[in-house]
Amino acid sequence: MTEFSFPEHSTELLETLRDGRVLIGVTDGVETNLITVGWGFLGYTWNRPVFIAMIRPSRFTHDFFRSSDGFSVNFMSTNWQEALDFCGTRSGKYFDKFKETGLTPQEGVSPSIVVVGEADKVLECRVVSKEALTPLALNGSIASTFYGDNSYHSLIFGEITDSYTLP
């Protein structure tokens, strides 16, 4: 593991996010789950480095954030596209995504955080806020284009506590 300062790699991290090659890892202390994301935010809020994960309440992963105080943001190479597709289209309610994809769960720097052993870069985050998007908070064209089913995301604000590359 080699630590890095995320601002120096922000362009690369944002490109990986835009390309949908990010796995959010979360545990409730008993089970772990992964979800592929392509939407999020990386920057500074409240004078802290943060990653904001956008998770719909209808997703199995959303329930983990009720009892979890942290999560990992795992930036994956294109070599793992099949695993990314699986984690983005199958529910952890019915599948052990680590087992099904061949990805390796590892303990993070923080023992309560699960990371993906095959990730190129990892951000470990401590949950500092959870907010629900509402129709009133959004521009009408965004609401109609992305939320026609009224399934608005929750925003999970994670203060970045550790950032590193894996061997």
Side-chain angles (χ1 to χ4, degrees):
M1 172 176 47
T2 305
E3 290 186 36
F4 71 88
S5 174
F6 92 83
E8 296 166 13
H9 296 272
S10 61
T11 299
E12 175 190 353
L13 298 176
L14 289 169
E15 287 172 357
T16 304
L17 176 65
R18 179 200 61 214
D19 293 345
R21 292 187 287 116
V22 172
L23 291 169
I24 299 294
V26 65
T27 183
D28 62 6
V30 178
E31 294 181 275
T32 60
N33 197 39
L34 297 170
I35 188 169
T36 303
V37 298
W39 292 357
F41 172 85
L42 180 64
Y44 288 91
T45 302
W46 306 302
N47 295 324
R48 301 164 192 242
V50 298
F51 183 88
I52 302 172
M54 298 176 70
I55 310 290
R56 291 184 194 263
S58 59
R59 303 293 186 221
F60 180 67
T61 303
H62 191 273
D63 291 339
F64 282 73
F65 286 101
R66 292 191 176 139
S67 58
S68 179
D69 62 352
F71 62 96
S72 65
V73 186
N74 302 271
F75 296 84
M76 308 298 291
S77 76
T78 55
N79 297 337
W80 292 99
Q81 192 59 55
E82 202 171 301
L84 288 156
D85 292 344
F86 185 92
C87 292
T89 59
R90 304 296 193 297
S91 175
K93 186 174 184 177
Y94 306 109
F95 297 96
D96 177 335
K97 293 182 183 181
F98 282 105
K99 181 179 170 187
E100 296 290 332
T101 61
L103 295 170
T104 310
Q106 292 184 356
E107 187 175 274
V109 172
S110 171
S112 65
I113 294 181
V114 63
V115 303
V116 177
E118 293 75 14
D120 289 337
K121 291 185 171 53
V122 176
L123 304 176
E124 292 190 24
C125 299
R126 180 176 60 88
V127 175
V128 292
S129 182
K130 303 172 200 171
E131 304 293 330
L133 279 181
T134 65
L136 297 176
L138 290 172
N139 172 287
S141 67
I142 292 173
S144 64
T145 301
F146 296 103
Y147 299 103
D149 62 355
N150 292 318
S151 177
Y152 294 88
H153 286 93
S154 292
L155 304 178
I156 313 298
F157 290 72
E159 178 181 3
I160 300 168
T161 57
D162 292 285
S163 52
Y164 49 89
T165 60
L166 292 172

